[in-house]
Amino acid sequence: MRYADVIVDISLEKLDKTYQYAIPDALLAEAVAGAKVKVPFGGGGRMIEGYIIDTSETPVFDPARTKEIASVVQGAVSLERRFIALAYWMKEHFGGTMNEALKTVLPVKQAVREVKKRTLVPVADEARFTEYYNEAVERKFTARVRLLEELRGKSAADYREVLQKLRISAATVEAVCRDGIFAVQEETCYRNTATGVWSDKRPQLNEEQKAAVEAVWQDYKEGKRGTYLLFGVTGSGKTEVYLELIEHVIREGKQAIMLIPEISLTFQTVRRFYERFGERVSVLHSRLSAGERYDQYLRARNGEIDVMIGPRSALFTPFEQLGLIIIDEEQEGAYKSEGTPRYHARETAEYLASLTGASLLLGSATPSLEAYSRTESGQYRLLTLTKRAKAAQMPQVEIVDLREELRAGNRSIFSRKLKEQMKERLAKGEQVMLFLNRRGYAGTVSCRACGEGMKCPHCDISLTFHKGGTLLCHYCGYETKQPKLCPACGSKYIGLFGTGTQKVEEAVLREFPEVSVLRMDADTTKQKGGHDKIIKKFSKGEAQILIGTQMIVKGHDFPRVTLVGIIAADLSLYAGDYRAAERTFCLLAQAAGRAGRDRLPGEVVIQTYQPEHYSITAAAAGDYLAFYQQEMAYRRLLRYPPAAHILAVLVQAEEQETALLGAGRISAALSRMLFPEEKTGTVIGPAPAGLAKANDLYRYIIYIKSSDYERLRQFCRAAAEEKRLTEAAVKCNIQFDFNPFHGY
Ligand code: ADP
Ligand code: ZN
Ligand code: ZN
C-alpha cells in the first residue's frame, strides 16, 4: 500500500500539519506529489480539497483505520501544484525534508499583515539630482543635503527610518518631493512612477546581439524550449539581449524572471529595466521584509507585473504564464543556497522551466565549468558575443613576478612596475583601483617564536586583527583583545601577518601621501548604504584610488579608471577547495574588465607569486577557453564536478565523540553500499571539516563521489536512514550538500 501526506491549508504556519491518507490502487498513477486531491476530513466525512506533498510506503498509524483519498482533481495545473512539485524535486535532488523545501519555495504568508510602509523612491534622473544637490549645498539647506546624501544612488528608502536617522522633519522631505526629486509611496516600494509606457530609448542591436536574440526566439516561436548560454565579455551587451528577449516574451502575454547576484543588484542595473518596462517590473532584494516580499509575490500572482528581478529567491515568483528565466552571471556562488535544501538556482531553474514551458537563458563573461561543459555535450546551446558593445578596447594586462621583486630587494607590497604605473596615472589625474584578491579584511595573528595562531575557541578558525587591537571571529562574531604575550609560550613576538585592505591603504599613503584614498571592505561597508556611498564618491572623482576586495569588481562602470592593480593574485588560490582556480580566474577577469571601460585606454598589473599558474595566465590573456580546457582536465583527473558529482554529508554534534562516532557509522554504512565493481564511486572520510567546530558544534564531513547523480541520491537516502536508525547517529545533526560550492 502507498500512502500520501496531504496538506489542506497552504500557509506557512500550517505547512507542518499534514494528514496521511491511503492511495487506492486506481489512483496510484495520478496521486503524486503536487496533485490536488479530494479527501474525507473530520468525523462527518466532509469532503475537502488538499495537495499531496509527499508519498511513502510507511503508514504512521493503524493502516486499517487510515482513510483513502477520494479522488484526484483534474484540470489545469495550479500554481500551488507547480510549486509543490518543484519543492518535491528540490528535496529529492538536493536533500533535506519536504517541509524545508516547501518553506523555501512558497512565499511567506504572514498571519498578521504589516502596517503599510511609506517608501521614498527617486524620480529625478541623475543629472537633475546632482543639479538639485549642488543647489542645496550652495544655499546651505543642510537638512536637505543630508537627505539627498542619504538617498543618493538608492532605489528606495524607508520613510520613517530616514526621518529618524537623519533627524529631519517631514516638511523637509515634502519639499524635496514637491520639487520632483523623490516620491513617497504608500504601498510597497519599487513601483515606478513613470507612466508605464515602454520606452523607445534603446540601442540598435549589433549583429551578434541580434543573432543571440534570434536564436532563442526562433526556437520559442517553434514551440521549442531549451537552455542557452550567452557567453560574452563584460560590456558586450548581454543586458541588452536580456531586455530584448523579455520584451518579446511580454508581447506574447508571458512573464519573465531575471536573477542577478545581490551584489550586482545596483540602481543602475534596475533602472535599465524600469526605463524599458515601466511599472510592470518589480524587484526583490534582501532588504525587503517578509511582508514586503510577500506583497511582491502577490502582485506577480495578480498579474500586476511582468518582470521580477532579484537574487536566487526571485525564482519562486508565482507567475501564471512564465515564458523566460534569465540568470545573469550564472557562475556566481551566490546561486547556490547555503540553507537547506542547498539548491542551485541554475539546476532548479532548469527544472522550473520544464514544468512551466519556459526557456532558460544563462549569461556570463566567465561561464561556470558546469554550464560551458553542457554546451559541449549539446545540453545547452552556446551563443557568443565576442566584442564590447561600445568602442572601448580591452585593457592591456601585465603579470609581475613577486619573487623577482623580493630578489631585487623590493619589500614593498607594490612591485616597481605597479608603483611606476600608479605614479604616471595619478599625475594625469586618472583613477586607480587596487584589488585585494581575498575575502575578509585583515591579517591573522600568530606567534613567531612558537608558530601558534590565535583561533576562535568556538569555530577553530583564525581570528582576524582589527585596528585598535581587537581580534574577531568572522564566522561567529567572537571578539577578544589581542594578547601582549603568546598564550602558548609566553613570547612577546606575537604579531600580525598577511595583507589586508587596511595595510594596502597604509602602504598607499606612505608612497603617495598627497592622494585621496577610499577603501571598500567588510569594515567600511558595515553601515547600511555604505557600499553605495563609496561607489558614488569614487565615481564623482572624490578620490583617486579605490582599494577593495571582491566588492569593487562587480558591475560598476568607472570611466576614469585606467589602471587596475591586483596586489596578490594567488591569494584566492589558497582557499583549499576544488573551485579555487575557477574563482581566481573569474575574479581576475572581472577585475581586469574594470580598466579602460571608456575612451581612455586601460592597463592591468597582476602581481603574483605563481606567474605560471594557468588561472592567472589565462585571465591575463583574457582567454576563457584556455582556462576552461586546463581546469576541465584537472576536474576530470580528480573527478570533481562537473566531471563527476560529489555529495557532502556534514555531521554535527555538541560532543566531539558523538559527532565522530555518528559520522563513522554513516560512513561505514555508505561504504558497505558500494558495489564491488563500482569503480566510479568512492566514500571519503569522515574527516574533521575545514571548519572543525562552529557555534559550539563539532563538525565532521563525509564526501561521496560518483559519476551518477541518481546513485548519490541513493547514498543520501541511506545516510538519512542510518542517522534515523543507528543509536550512535541519532544525536547528530546531519546535512546534505550536492556538488558543494562553499567549503566546509
Ligand atoms: P553586459 O551586460 O554584457 O555587461 P551591457 O548590456 O550592460 O553589457 O552593455 C554595455 C554598454 O554598452 C551599456 O552602456 C549599453 O547601453 C551599451 N550597449 C549595449 N549594446 C549596445 C549596442 N548595440 N549599441 C550601442 N550601445 C550598446
Ligand atoms: Zn608562542
Ligand atoms: Zn567563532
Side-chain angles (χ1 to χ4, degrees):
M1 197 73 196
R2 273 198 87 77
Y3 299 89
D5 296 323
V6 174
I7 192 165
V8 295
D9 179 8
I10 298 182
S11 59
L12 196 75
E13 59 275 23
K14 302 258 171 67
L15 284 182
D16 295 310
K17 192 88 196 119
T18 60
Y19 302 88
Q20 199 180 47
Y21 289 88
I23 306 175
D25 285 345
L27 297 180
L28 268 177
E30 295 166 279
V32 295
K36 194 173 191 179
V37 290
K38 282 212 165 88
V39 290
F41 196 73
R46 182 168 61 99
M47 284 290 169
I48 62 165
E49 288 187 345
Y51 292 93
I52 296 180
I53 63 164
D54 212 347
T55 57
S56 70
E57 251 129 46
T58 344
V60 287
F61 49 75
D62 183 5
R65 294 176 51 202
T66 303
K67 292 181 202 163
E68 286 194 350
I69 290 174
S71 61
V72 174
V73 180
Q74 306 295 330
V77 178
S78 72
L79 276 171
E80 278 78 15
R81 179 169 181 169
R82 187 206 291 168
F83 282 115
I84 289 166
L86 183 64
Y88 189 82
W89 179 87
M90 285 167 74
K91 163 207 131 177
E92 287 289 301
H93 213 76
F94 296 108
T97 65
M98 186 62 189
N99 201 37
E100 286 164 331
L102 275 173
K103 285 187 171 162
T104 306
V105 157
L106 291 175
V108 179
K109 185 152 112 196
Q110 292 199 318
V112 189
R113 285 293 297 274
E114 302 184 1
V115 187
K116 280 212 171 118
K117 268 168 63 170
R118 297 219 285 169
T119 308
L120 276 171
V121 296
V123 285
D125 64 17
E126 242 175 294
R128 171 74 187 122
F129 184 98
T130 309
E131 181 194 4
Y132 189 79
Y133 172 79
N134 291 339
E135 194 186 303
V137 171
E138 230 166 72
R139 296 172 66 183
K140 301 209 166 49
F141 290 158
T142 53
R144 217 174 271 196
V145 169
R146 279 212 307 280
L147 176 67
L148 292 167
E149 277 170 357
E150 173 68 21
L151 289 172
R152 186 187 349 245
K154 285 191 189 156
S155 39
D158 184 82
Y159 188 94
R160 255 203 0 246
E161 264 178 33
V162 168
L163 252 63
Q164 273 167 3
K165 179 176 164 197
L166 304 179
R167 296 211 189 80
I168 54 176
S169 68
T172 307
V173 181
E174 273 161 29
V176 177
C177 289
R178 257 200 318 276
D179 292 340
I181 304 300
F182 301 118
V184 179
Q185 283 174 359
E186 291 285 340
E187 222 183 321
T188 334
C189 48
Y190 288 114
R191 294 223 180 179
N192 199 338
T193 44
T195 52
V197 182
W198 286 1
S199 154
D200 295 327
K201 230 175 53 191
R202 62 193 63 172
Q204 176 75 27
L205 295 189
N206 63 36
E207 291 307 315
E208 287 182 333
Q209 288 171 314
K210 271 193 215 146
V213 170
E214 226 14 69
V216 179
W217 198 243
Q218 196 60 40
D219 283 355
Y220 197 96
K221 295 300 278 181
E222 288 170 15
K224 282 189 260 175
R225 299 293 184 270
T227 303
Y228 307 83
L229 172 63
L230 181 60
F231 171 34
V233 294
T234 323
S236 58
K238 295 187 291 299
T239 308
E240 291 299 329
V241 172
Y242 304 154
L243 287 164
E244 190 68 19
L245 277 168
I246 291 174
E247 185 172 328
H248 283 4
V249 165
I250 296 177
R251 284 193 195 284
E252 294 278 303
K254 303 273 176 82
Q255 298 93 38
I257 293 172
M258 160 111 181
L259 302 189
I260 310 186
E262 178 89 28
I263 195 160
S264 324
L265 198 55
T266 58
F267 184 50
Q268 288 103 303
T269 313
V270 173
R271 173 124 122 211
R272 286 168 75 177
F273 285 81
Y274 282 146
E275 276 174 3
R276 187 77 162 249
F277 304 117
E279 63 185 10
R280 305 291 296 176
V281 178
S282 178
V283 180
L284 282 183
H285 57 73
S286 60
R287 292 188 305 271
L288 295 182
S289 68
E292 287 171 319
R293 202 166 264 277
Y294 184 72
D295 284 346
Q296 297 308 302
Y297 282 135
L298 213 59
R299 291 180 63 204
R301 209 195 158 114
N302 295 340
E304 291 172 37
I305 55 170
D306 300 315
V307 186
M308 181 66 95
I309 305 176
R312 219 169 48 217
S313 58
L315 205 52
F316 308 119
T317 306
F319 278 130
E320 202 63 62
Q321 302 232 34
L322 189 62
L324 178 65
I325 306 171
I326 295 171
I327 304 182
D328 191 30
E329 312 246 25
E330 62 79 29
Q331 82 287 353
E332 281 292 322
Y335 289 125
K336 175 87 161 136
S337 169
E338 291 184 78
T340 311
R342 291 176 191 268
Y343 68 97
H344 197 295
R346 187 199 314 114
E347 318 301 313
T348 310
E350 227 182 309
Y351 185 71
L352 179 64
S354 75
L355 275 182
T356 54
S359 286
L360 173 61
L361 175 63
L362 312 171
S364 179
T366 51
S368 63
L369 283 257
E370 281 78 1
Y372 199 85
S373 63
R374 286 174 195 166
T375 66
E376 289 191 321
S377 69
Q379 196 181 335
Y380 296 172
R381 182 155 167 206
L382 181 64
L383 311 168
T384 321
L385 304 179
T386 54
K387 45 187 181 295
R388 283 184 169 177
K390 288 179 177 167
Q393 291 166 356
M394 295 305 279
Q396 198 167 340
V397 184
E398 184 156 348
I399 298 177
V400 175
D401 187 345
L402 286 175
R403 295 169 306 189
E404 299 254 323
E405 292 297 310
L406 206 60
R407 263 179 241 135
N410 176 14
R411 292 176 177 276
S412 145
I413 59 176
F414 301 122
S415 60
R416 290 159 296 175
K417 171 82 193 170
L418 181 56
K419 206 185 310 181
E420 182 189 305
Q421 280 291 326
M422 285 171 69
K423 215 178 278 172
E424 204 173 292
R425 305 291 171 167
L426 293 171
K428 283 195 209 154
E430 296 168 4
Q431 286 180 308
V432 175
M433 280 168 88
L434 295 178
F435 173 56
L436 194 62
N437 194 11
R438 143 191 178 134
R439 211 184 285 277
Y441 133 85
T444 52
V445 171
S446 54
C447 170
R448 285 173 214 231
C450 75
E452 184 79 9
M454 290 287 297
K455 288 188 166 183
C456 170
H458 307 292
C459 300
D460 197 42
I461 56 167
S462 299
L463 296 169
T464 49
F465 179 85
H466 281 238
K467 232 178 188 163
T470 50
L471 300 178
L472 196 76
C473 169
H474 273 295
Y475 198 82
C476 74
Y478 170 83
E479 197 180 317
T480 183
K481 278 254 158 266
Q482 180 181 349
K484 296 229 161 29
L485 301 174
C486 169
C489 75
S491 154
K492 61 180 183 192
Y493 294 106
I494 180 163
L496 194 58
F497 288 98
T499 306
T501 42
Q502 266 190 18
K503 288 194 91 179
V504 177
E505 183 180 21
E506 282 161 19
V508 168
L509 292 173
R510 261 197 312 277
E511 295 286 346
F512 306 99
E514 72 289 356
V515 163
S516 60
V517 177
L518 281 169
R519 200 182 81 228
M520 175 138 74
D521 52 33
D523 200 41
T524 57
T525 56
K526 227 181 305 174
Q527 268 190 336
K528 225 170 139 183
H531 179 266
D532 290 349
K533 236 177 254 170
I534 294 170
I535 295 287
K536 279 282 159 174
K537 267 193 178 163
F538 191 59
S539 53
K540 284 203 308 186
E542 284 177 25
Q544 276 192 281
I545 299 181
L546 175 62
I547 302 166
T549 51
Q550 265 85 330
M551 293 178 220
I552 64 172
V553 304
K554 308 270 167 164
H556 306 291
D557 244 333
F558 302 112
R560 295 206 63 80
V561 170
T562 56
L563 174 64
V564 172
I566 294 158
I567 301 298
D570 25 352
L571 273 180
S572 59
L573 279 175
Y574 303 135
D577 68 275
Y578 72 89
R579 287 185 204 267
E582 185 178 355
R583 207 159 34 236
T584 301
F585 175 78
C586 288
L587 283 171
L588 295 182
Q590 271 171 355
R594 295 300 108 198
R597 291 299 296 264
D598 226 306
R599 258 157 294 261
L600 299 170
E603 170 133 20
V604 180
V605 177
I606 299 178
Q607 306 191 135
T608 173
Y609 289 98
Q610 296 181 58
E612 66 291 329
H613 193 279
Y614 62 89
S615 65
I616 292 169
T617 52
D623 189 347
Y624 173 80
L625 277 181
F627 169 75
Y628 171 79
Q629 264 139 16
Q630 287 259 16
E631 180 67 9
M632 205 56 206
Y634 156 78
R635 305 263 178 112
R636 275 198 206 98
L637 192 66
L638 293 167
R639 296 200 305 108
Y640 282 127
H645 299 288
I646 293 185
L647 168 63
V649 182
L650 178 68
V651 182
Q652 305 183 95
E654 271 171 37
E655 306 284 327
Q656 184 165 14
E657 251 166 273
T658 315
L660 185 55
L661 196 63
R665 280 301 179 80
I666 291 169
S667 167
L670 296 180
S671 299
R672 282 196 302 274
M673 273 175 70
L674 290 170
F675 309 127
E677 72 279 15
E678 189 167 352
K679 298 223 165 46
T680 59
T682 13
V683 176
I684 308 154
L691 190 59
K693 190 183 175 194
N695 294 316
D696 290 317
L697 291 178
Y698 287 90
R699 296 150 56 95
Y700 284 85
I701 191 105
I702 306 163
Y703 287 109
I704 304 113
K705 279 191 204 173
S706 173
S707 25
D708 183 3
Y709 201 95
E710 286 305 310
R711 186 80 179 115
L712 284 188
R713 284 175 48 188
Q714 291 172 3
F715 279 94
C716 178
R717 282 194 290 270
E721 200 58 10
E722 187 68 16
K723 178 215 147 30
R724 213 162 57 82
L725 299 177
T726 316
E727 203 190 328
V730 153
K731 279 178 276 176
C732 298
N733 167 292
I734 167 169
Q735 288 173 22
F736 301 103
D737 193 352
F738 285 84
N739 291 333
F741 227 94
H742 314 281
Y744 281 91

